[in-house]
Amino acid sequence: MIQVFFNALAVGLGIGTLGLGFLLVYRPTGVFHVSAGAIYAAMPFLLLELGTRGAPLWLSLLICVAFGIGISCAIEFFNHRRLGIGLSQTSAHLLSSLGIYIVLTQLVVIVWGPNVRSLRVGQDHSFRLGLLVATRAQILEITIQAVLLLAFAALLKFTNIGLKLRALMQNPSEMALLGYSTQGFRLLAFAISGVFVAVVSLVNAYDLGFDPHGGLPAIILAIAAVIVGGRDSFLGPVAGGLLLGLLRSLAVWFSPKWQDCFTFVLLAACLVFLPNGILGYSRRVKAP
Amino acid sequence: MNFLFHILAVIGIYCILSWGYALVFRLAGMLSLAYGCYFAIGAYVYALGVRHLPFFPLLLIGVASATAFGMVEAVLSWRLKGDFLFVGSLALQAVVYSLALNWVDIGQPPGSWSNLTNGAFGLPGLPRPAIFGITLDTESGYLALVAIVVIIGFCVYRNLVFSPWGRIVEMSRDDELAAATLGKSPRSLRVGVLLVAAGFGALGGMLYAAQTGFVDPDVAVLSQVIAILAMVATADLLGSRSPVVGAAVLIALPEALRFARLSSTYAANVQVLAYGLLLIGVAHVSRTRSARTVRPHEANDR
Amino acid sequence: MVFEDVSCRVNPGQLILLRGANASGKTTLLNILTGHLLADKGQITLNGVLKRTNVDFQASSWVSPRSTPEGFARAGISRSWQEIRLFPNHTIVDNVAAAAQNQSGERLLSALFLRGQVRESESENQAQSRALLSEVGMVGLAQRTPRTLSLGESKRVAIVRAIHAGAKVLFLDEPLAGLDVDGVHDVLTLILDLVRNQGLSVVIVEHLFHIPRLLPLADTVWTLARGKLAVQSPSAVQEELLHVTPGIIDWLGMLTKRGYLYSSEPLPNGAVIHIARRDPSAATVLDIQGLCLARDGASLLGDPLFPARTGISLSLRQGDIALIEAPNGWGKTTLLETLAGMVPNLTGSIRLDGRSMGQFSAWDRSCAGMSLLRSAGASFPTLTTGEVFRLANTPLPDRLLPISHQKVGELSGGQQQLVNLLRLLLSRRARVRLLDEPLNMLDPAATNIAEELLLADPLACTLLAIPASVRFTTEFQADNQTDLQGKTDIL
């Protein structure tokens, strides 16, 4: 049983971090950053490509993260900013984000082929820790993601930039009135979300392998984490992610084949019954 | 000549699908990708039932199954709006795809309870439907069937769009609160839209399965519904109320690509990529269009 | 807690006035009584012709079908909004026709299969709708779209639509806001006809400016203040309005004792600006010429073709304190937001210390010294008071030290407002301080603090927007009495 929890931790932190990246863009800008899924899909291919061209690992990783940031910012700069700041016409933002996802994903397929690939060769090392069996990939996943989240939390709490981000999440229009450039902060939000997507994508790819179409399921899970965990705090997506991770690893326990199906049925149920999430403050129910 | 009939039948099927989706996307303003589920359900119902049931009862069962699933999406639409409904619809689409892909058990015969869809192997060799004893083996005969369904579909679509029901659905899309204050229930309206759309989707799916003779999980894949979305969005973009224009354009697209002699391995991917570009284009153009109808107000001093 | 223990009755054929200061909870009460919001506790009983509907509120999240707006609407309760909510993509006659209840054409199956019947009942509906429109003299507008209508026409169409929906109780949210004398007359005529001749009950939520005009016509008055509802007779309210407590305008007038020069001037569309000037020879900080306002693409104030004559022009020098007094709907918030850069203006120039602000975005204007405090939505709930000041680059004043580690969201409404006010007025960067109804939530002690702060910075200028006061109302009434005489046979 504890194995289930451990697996859940590895998976859940990833979903939670992705969810946080999604929320970072959604709260201040209102944009549903579905195209992040394309970045998620492309990252491991890029790493592999750089690796086969002989770049040292540390450099490849840096380049990948830089690309993650770059593509994310480009999406904001060329697409969402053009569509207008302000929450009217949300479907134009969503439609274009979906379009970008499709274009980038298809490019990945055309350049690198549609097959499932892996970042490592053969069976992974596993360690025995008491009752647990942990693969190296899982330990890497948990450590890196936890470090990233903790670093982000520290950024939020102790730095000026963190203060501004927290303020931006709650009241972006008031931030503009205080003299902070809305455009600049939107870019920052997209950039940080790019970092999260890149990191999670790479560690997940190391653990489970990757394919060009893995982006959308990942981003749907991330959005689910935000919805389930609550959109009103930074902790919400992480909590939601852990819960979803638990559900997924339970599902794997029962039947690996139906894991996806089970997850998405649960997601739909959560959307219907928990619209504010478990950590969200209850909004007075408007007569629907 | 046969090839022409084939193409016309394909256009006809996509017209039916576009009308159904236009109800969801344009009339009711819901950006939902669950429409592909109805298509897939229709296709699989045909595949599983064509050897056991006559055509018309099969049609009814197909429509009924899709409509039942439509109720699921309707419940989702009660709670979710806009972007979040989109996510819910993606979840539904993923569920149906997963069902199509995984409801397989190699040892069992396809179509049996434990191996309903035969997974990635699909259900091949489907015969054409037989109506009143005549099997529609020829392309021209099949086109006739499609044409009849198209005409009926068009009449239904037109009647609904121009009726008081259509009017109140549009009004509810523009201002749900105001519609509610007039005593109209936005929930029931959306249920109605989705149920009718499910019917259109199922019909399209069944005709598609009958034409190709083969059904596999690809009928539930995302790019199917993206194609339909692109058709309807393009029609909107071109200012045409009729998605037929969109369907015609988007069927011509792969033919044009084939003409450009692109590597056949990735022709399908380029096609889907084009759909993506189209969606981005539609989003930007519709934005500028709505910005233009609002009176210009940027005349600040210099 | 917005309000508690509110009890009231609506009888048929009554005209009721619901009044209260801005932010007193009028809109919340209105939303609850029309089914748009769920109360935490209580009951609403609707006595329909055929049946009685009972709505019971409990703190649960599952919503019964009767407590939805459409449920209330079917029981005969309808409402209008402050903003016009006509369906933008349909004609006026369609807007009205769609309101009819129990249309066969609106049922999906009928629309599909019973086309003949649907066609018949729809043409009947269209005829009825046109008849309704012609009763109010607007049948010529039938084929137009809402965007082409004037404000007064739109408001009347909205009311006609509610009638066609079979409303027995009509809640109107500030129906007279933004209307000129003709518009007010037309709308009031319609409302009175509904109440006196057709037996409808109408509850008007209105702001102070229009209340004296409505008092003689109302049957009873509901006053919402400090969380409680009081039912009063119109004459009692009239008495109350005669006793004017000194407000901020009087305070401004008293600044003459400190050497200020005081003056009042009219602004376009029936507003007034009071200016207390410290030094007539000081440098000009804010200069506005021919400003025409727009909101959501619709012109609100001023004609772009004649900006000098119809737009707003004023200039403020260092140390000036100016008050714009205008009724709801005039455009106070739009003016301040336009100056701050949140809303684009139609025409006209805005200069800060001689520099043109036209091309500057909102944040650039803020850096240049244009600071705005909005009337609502200016807080950061999960930040602490200290963090808010850090964010605003303003030193934390001593008087706020006790709450510097408390989250803003946990403070009371009045405290939050005070924090925001201090944040803005103590800012070292602000050259022009724009305040939108800043004193709404403040108690007298906090108001004194605010008043002292307004004087604190001699190099900046301040522009406040406040709702029309009682005295303004009575003075305005007196000025326009002659216009009304010509039209009042019903009033």
Side-chain angles (χ1 to χ4, degrees), chain A residues 157-160 163-164 166-168 170-171 173-183 284-288, chain C residues 35-38 40 63 67-69 342 362-363 366-367 374 377-383 387 390-392 423 429:
Chain A
K157 196 157 178 347
F158 298 118
T159 66
N160 260 340
L163 173 63
K164 291 169 192 166
R166 276 188 291 140
L168 184 74
Q170 292 169 42
N171 202 338
S173 51
E174 192 65 24
M175 286 295 280
L177 290 176
L178 283 175
Y180 295 106
S181 160
T182 304
Q183 285 181 342
R284 165 163 282 128
V285 180
K286 266 230 160 85
Chain C
H36 284 82
L37 210 57
L38 296 180
D40 288 329
V63 172
S67 55
T68 54
M342 289 179 79
W363 54 89
S366 172
C367 291
R374 294 179 290 176
S379 296
F380 297 97
T382 67
L383 262 52
E387 285 176 330
R390 218 170 88 205
L391 194 64
R423 190 228 308 157
R429 196 171 63 184

Side-chain angles (χ1 to χ4, degrees), chain C residues 92-327:
Chain C
I92 297 298
V93 69
D94 268 345
N95 260 275
V96 177
Q101 300 296 306
N102 292 322
Q103 294 181 46
S104 64
E106 283 185 355
R107 284 192 280 272
L108 180 59
L109 292 172
S110 312
L112 274 176
F113 300 121
L114 300 171
R115 293 207 55 226
Q117 191 187 81
V118 164
R119 222 191 322 237
E120 229 178 82
S121 70
E122 173 60 18
S123 61
E124 216 179 280
N125 191 358
Q126 292 269 325
Q128 278 173 351
S129 309
R130 276 173 205 272
L132 268 177
L133 284 172
S134 76
E135 267 175 49
V136 290
M138 292 197 290
V139 72
L141 303 173
Q143 290 304 116
R144 304 247 294 262
T145 51
R147 209 175 255 289
T148 61
L149 259 55
S150 74
L151 188 62
E153 288 168 339
S154 311
K155 292 200 178 211
R156 285 188 293 146
V157 170
I159 296 179
V160 169
R161 185 177 66 175
I163 309 296
H164 195 49
K168 292 196 221 36
V169 180
L170 198 51
F171 284 84
L172 301 175
D173 197 352
E174 299 200 19
L176 305 177
L179 292 175
D180 58 13
V181 176
D182 287 327
V184 168
H185 172 84
D186 290 333
V187 172
L188 277 183
T189 316
L190 176 58
I191 295 176
L192 283 171
D193 178 58
L194 294 174
V195 174
R196 306 248 166 96
N197 303 339
Q198 298 187 35
L200 252 67
S201 308
V202 175
V203 178
I204 301 184
V205 177
E206 253 303 345
H207 193 63
L208 192 53
F209 178 63
H210 290 290
I211 285 177
R213 187 185 329 245
L214 293 170
L215 277 176
L217 311 169
D219 295 306
T220 179
V221 180
W222 296 347
T223 305
L224 197 56
R226 283 179 291 279
K228 297 262 190 264
L229 186 80
V231 178
Q232 302 173 291
S233 73
S235 43
V237 174
Q238 215 140 25
E239 270 294 306
E240 210 180 284
L241 290 181
L242 289 176
H243 301 286
V244 179
T245 43
I248 183 132
I249 302 177
D250 302 287
W251 171 81
L252 204 69
M254 291 205 282
L255 286 178
T256 47
K257 297 201 185 112
R258 300 208 209 188
Y260 281 75
L261 290 162
Y262 177 83
S263 63
S264 295
E265 281 151 37
L267 288 174
N269 272 21
V272 173
I273 182 165
H274 311 271
I275 304 185
R277 178 150 287 164
R278 171 177 261 172
D279 179 3
S281 61
T284 303
V285 181
L286 178 68
D287 182 66
I288 304 172
Q289 297 296 328
L291 197 65
C292 298
L293 304 176
R295 172 75 82 176
D296 292 334
S299 166
L300 188 60
L301 187 149
D303 185 346
L305 297 173
F306 305 102
R309 186 155 51 85
T310 59
I312 300 175
S313 301
L314 60 96
S315 71
L316 295 178
R317 300 169 185 273
Q318 287 179 1
D320 285 357
I321 303 181
L323 247 66
I324 293 189
E325 193 184 1

